[in-house]
Amino acid sequence: MNKSVISWSDIVVAAADLEVEPCAISAVCQVESSGSGFLGSGLPKILFEGHIFWRELKKHGEDPEKYASAHGSILYPKWTRAHYRGGNAEYDRLEEACAIHRCAALKSASWGTFQIMGFNHKSCGYNNVEDFVEAHRNYANEHLFAFCGLLHSNKWHYHLRNRDWASFAKCYNGPGYAENRYDVRLAKAYDECIGAQKKL
């Protein structure tokens, strides 16, 4: 079993559960992680978000400004892509954040094939963020389980069912989705999947 890639048969089962087309799920896979939720090192793909860490520290009763000057690349009040390092280097950023507050840090990274933020762990079906992270360290089908839980909890699967890419993008990727052409990329990935299936 290739732990890093979700099998088509698993996507088909998940699609039936969500009552969406398999290619709709495949499209999200491709846009979020190019189809694989793992790095070459075997670690799950992550992206650490410093503005979320700012928010999560506040939720945990910590003052982020106390740490900001010494940790400017992982802690800032507004979203920016300026501090992204990509790949395994994102784990360096996560480790730095964990040294300040582990729980808040884990909640502030997006994880795996579907790049789900850690703070969504309960919506995904996990009691705590540690369980959510541990699941993402194992097999890619755990990523699919989390994705299905998130969509069910928020009823976002209705947008995928209707191929309403813009509405799904706004919910899943945030109000700034258009800047990244998230909806356009979803539609393109879906069409490519449909084309590939017709050739089989």
Side-chain angles (χ1 to χ4, degrees):
M1 178 187 292
N2 185 347
K3 82 166 193 175
S4 65
V5 178
I6 299 170
S7 70
W8 182 253
S9 60
D10 284 339
I11 288 177
V12 169
V13 171
D17 174 59
L18 293 170
E19 297 182 357
V20 303
E21 294 176 81
C23 280
I25 295 178
S26 177
V28 182
C29 288
Q30 290 300 319
V31 171
E32 287 291 344
S33 61
S34 300
S36 173
F38 290 87
L39 299 165
S41 62
L43 292 169
K45 290 180 179 178
I46 66 167
L47 189 63
F48 189 80
E49 300 286 5
H51 69 296
I52 301 296
F53 190 40
W54 187 284
R55 185 188 75 189
E56 289 297 325
L57 281 177
K58 284 186 173 181
K59 287 184 178 180
H60 286 274
E62 295 280 355
D63 180 6
E65 293 185 4
K66 182 171 68 174
Y67 305 98
S69 61
H71 301 278
S73 66
I74 61 161
L75 190 56
Y76 32 87
K78 294 183 179 180
W79 178 84
T80 175
R81 67 174 73 249
H83 303 295
Y84 291 163
R85 296 173 64 186
N88 287 294
E90 287 297 315
Y91 277 91
D92 296 332
R93 300 179 69 217
L94 178 63
E95 185 177 351
E96 182 180 349
C98 283
I100 297 172
H101 195 293
R102 178 176 173 82
C103 185
L106 296 178
K107 291 178 180 178
S108 302
S110 56
W111 294 85
T113 307
F114 298 94
Q115 287 295 285
I116 300 172
M117 293 299 302
F119 65 76
N120 283 313
H121 62 277
K122 288 187 178 178
S123 295
C124 294
Y126 299 91
N127 291 326
N128 55 66
V129 71
E130 293 281 0
D131 289 348
F132 170 86
V133 169
E134 184 60 29
H136 276 77
R137 290 184 183 275
N138 296 321
Y139 291 96
N141 58 4
E142 298 278 3
H143 304 185
L144 184 59
F145 171 83
F147 177 70
C148 290
L150 181 66
L151 264 60
H152 272 305
S153 295
N154 293 285
K155 303 189 186 311
W156 294 343
H157 54 303
Y158 294 120
H159 299 314
L160 283 186
R161 186 178 303 168
N162 296 325
R163 298 195 297 280
D164 184 349
W165 307 118
S167 293
F168 180 79
K170 184 176 181 180
C171 294
Y172 198 82
N173 196 244
Y177 72 90
E179 179 183 344
N180 298 318
R181 301 177 69 251
Y182 191 87
D183 55 331
V184 175
R185 289 187 291 135
L186 280 175
K188 182 174 183 290
Y190 169 82
D191 288 342
E192 289 174 349
C193 177
I194 290 294
Q197 289 302 304
K198 287 180 177 179
K199 293 178 181 179
L200 296 178

